Amino acid sequence: MNFIVSSTALFSHLQAVSRVVNSKNALPILDCFLFELQEGTLTITASDGETTMITSVEVNESDADGRFAVVSRTLLDALKEIPEQPLSFSINPDTLEIVVQYQNGKYSLMGQHADEFPLSPALSGNAVQVNMVADVLLDGINRTAFATADDELRPVMNGIYFDITSEDITMVASDGHKLVRYKTSSAKGDSRAAFILAKKPAMLMKNLLPKEQGVVSVEFDERNAVFTMENYRMVCRLIEGRYPNYNSVIPQNNPYKVTIDRMLFLGALRRVSIFSSQASSLIKLHLQDNAMVVSGQDIDFSTSAEETLACQYAGASMSIGFKSTFLIDILNSISSDEVVVELADPSRAGVIVPAVQEENKNLLMLLMPMMLND
């Protein structure tokens, strides 16, 4: 079995699907790429047992169809240094010896039997399908992924919850301290449905979607989901379980509203947080007429800092504490020039929203406060 393929085309596809491969696998065959050549198209599959990535690349010429597996790390590292040129693969079907010839030399390595590679699961007959434009799906993952948890006791919190209705799709992530709700009316389903996408496949999608154009088809049943893009296909195990009612934890009527320049606020937080307690990352926001004082201190090292920022605020004077790292993450995930911080009292969650919502989108961030000593 012989075929010739472009080195850069092969490498870019291998690199994209290689991110699914774990550094340590229970099954040795999962250290490999599965190559399947059929009628001039080379299909490449990588899997970690729960998530499978599939892509295909056209070959320049081939003499026979066939299947084999090859260790992913060896092949990737070998192709990384080869500039654009045709690569000639020759595979002995009896010994599975693979010879890769290029302009100035050749590689020789051993393949493995393709039959050992696990098949990706098929969806059940009652699978639901929705379509999302690649840009919309990418934006939703970018805004929500940072808020997912790493909680062994509550695995449902370790992914992005897709809440699908006939009017819109809402993507939600929360770790119990912060919550993000991203609602888009640019995509919708035929009826009410929901699934929880685990963090790893979400991050794989985040890497693939910038290269994609057009529509992503999402099909899912109770256990698995299939994301079909122009150049890639991903089959992944969903997180099973009931996601908490996220709307019930969002305060509806926070009376105190602060409008502030996002970059100004972000800069102050980054500077002041350097002087806050390394253990708690606590910073204090003190609000008074059209001014916000951002302060932090570390009693153990006798360091402190404070900055006064101009803002729009006309409520009663109040102080509230937040974890600076969480607040910085939230502000980084909002793209508007100004943000509105909605507060009720120092013990209740603060809601942070863009001052102007983007068209067809509604973004809301929630952050639980920290107790202040004074």
Side-chain angles (χ1 to χ4, degrees):
M1 172 184 165
N2 302 290
F3 63 89
I4 297 172
V5 65
S6 155
S7 60
T8 49
L10 179 62
F11 179 71
S12 67
H13 284 76
L14 289 177
Q15 194 176 35
V17 298
S18 69
R19 292 188 175 96
V20 76
V21 180
N22 287 335
S23 54
K24 292 181 180 177
N25 288 296
L27 292 172
I29 193 69
L30 293 178
D31 294 333
C32 298
F33 292 128
L34 174 65
F35 279 51
E36 295 179 273
L37 184 63
Q38 196 169 12
E39 296 178 358
T41 300
L42 180 65
T43 302
I44 303 155
T45 305
S47 177
D48 66 358
E50 294 203 335
T51 303
T52 302
M53 299 278 290
I54 303 150
T55 186
S56 54
V57 59
E58 296 299 314
V59 301
N60 300 342
E61 56 183 82
S62 61
D63 67 354
D65 293 351
R67 305 167 75 229
F68 64 94
V70 58
V71 175
S72 58
R73 180 50 49 203
T74 307
L75 191 60
L76 263 183
D77 290 347
L79 297 184
K80 190 185 294 180
E81 305 302 331
I82 295 182
E84 167 55 35
Q85 58 185 276
L87 296 178
S88 173
F89 279 74
S90 177
I91 298 96
N92 182 325
D94 299 321
T95 63
L96 288 179
E97 185 188 0
I98 303 165
V99 177
V100 184
Q101 290 187 306
Y102 55 101
Q103 208 165 346
N104 302 319
K106 67 176 184 177
Y107 299 142
S108 178
L109 62 162
M110 290 305 296
Q112 295 188 37
H113 287 287
D115 298 340
E116 295 175 24
F117 204 90
L119 297 172
S120 52
L123 296 181
S124 63
N126 60 352
V128 177
Q129 181 182 1
V130 295
N131 293 323
M132 294 183 79
V133 176
D135 291 350
V136 174
L137 181 56
L138 175 63
D139 194 40
I141 292 173
N142 279 336
R143 302 291 174 92
T144 54
F146 79 94
T148 53
D150 289 303
D151 191 337
E152 291 180 6
L153 298 176
R154 292 187 301 168
V156 292
M157 308 299 282
N158 299 345
I160 300 171
Y161 179 62
F162 283 69
D163 191 358
I164 299 160
T165 70
S166 55
E167 294 172 0
D168 52 40
I169 292 180
T170 304
M171 297 164 69
V172 182
S174 176
D175 62 2
H177 302 286
K178 53 188 180 290
L179 177 144
V180 181
R181 186 190 69 190
Y182 174 91
K183 186 181 288 189
T184 175
S185 55
S186 303
K188 56 184 185 286
D190 296 330
S191 58
R192 192 75 196 256
F195 66 91
I196 306 171
L197 179 65
K199 188 184 294 188
K200 181 175 177 178
M203 299 314 282
L204 290 168
M205 293 292 291
K206 185 176 174 176
N207 284 315
L208 288 179
L209 287 169
K211 305 170 192 160
E212 293 291 321
Q213 301 293 323
V215 173
V216 179
S217 163
V218 186
E219 290 179 90
F220 60 95
D221 58 16
E222 296 82 13
R223 293 177 62 83
N224 299 289
V226 179
F227 291 79
T228 307
M229 294 156 272
E230 192 177 4
N231 299 309
Y232 299 92
R233 189 162 165 266
M234 182 177 80
V235 184
C236 61
R237 176 84 52 84
L238 296 173
I239 298 176
E240 295 179 51
R242 189 178 180 83
Y243 203 81
N245 181 358
Y246 58 90
N247 283 316
S248 67
V249 300
I250 299 171
Q252 298 305 316
N253 52 351
N254 280 1
Y256 302 116
K257 290 181 171 54
V258 189
T259 305
I260 189 165
D261 182 281
R262 184 177 68 89
M263 293 309 291
L264 198 70
F265 191 15
L266 200 48
L269 285 170
R270 285 182 175 139
R271 289 187 290 272
V272 171
S273 65
I274 296 166
F275 297 88
S276 68
S277 164
Q278 297 297 305
S280 67
S281 299
L282 170 67
I283 51 110
K284 182 170 83 170
L285 307 180
H286 179 68
L287 300 165
Q288 52 210 36
D289 284 343
N290 291 332
M292 176 193 284
V293 180
V294 182
S295 61
Q297 64 172 352
D298 189 339
I299 296 168
D300 296 339
F301 293 95
S302 301
T303 60
S304 65
E306 74 171 46
E307 280 193 33
T308 303
L309 306 175
C311 64
Q312 294 173 35
Y313 179 71
S317 176
M318 72 176 291
S319 296
I320 188 167
F322 288 115
K323 191 177 180 77
S324 61
T325 49
F326 289 168
L327 195 48
I328 288 168
D329 284 345
I330 283 175
L331 293 173
N332 276 328
S333 298
I334 297 174
S335 53
S336 68
D337 293 337
E338 290 189 321
V339 294
V340 179
V341 184
E342 302 175 0
L343 304 168
D345 63 58
S347 63
R348 286 168 62 189
V351 172
I352 301 153
V353 294
V356 179
Q357 294 281 4
E358 293 176 56
E359 189 180 359
N360 299 329
K361 295 174 188 173
N362 184 287
L363 180 66
L364 178 145
M365 311 259 183
L366 176 146
L367 184 58
M368 297 302 293
M370 294 175 72
M371 293 300 292
L372 293 170
N373 297 326
D374 48 8

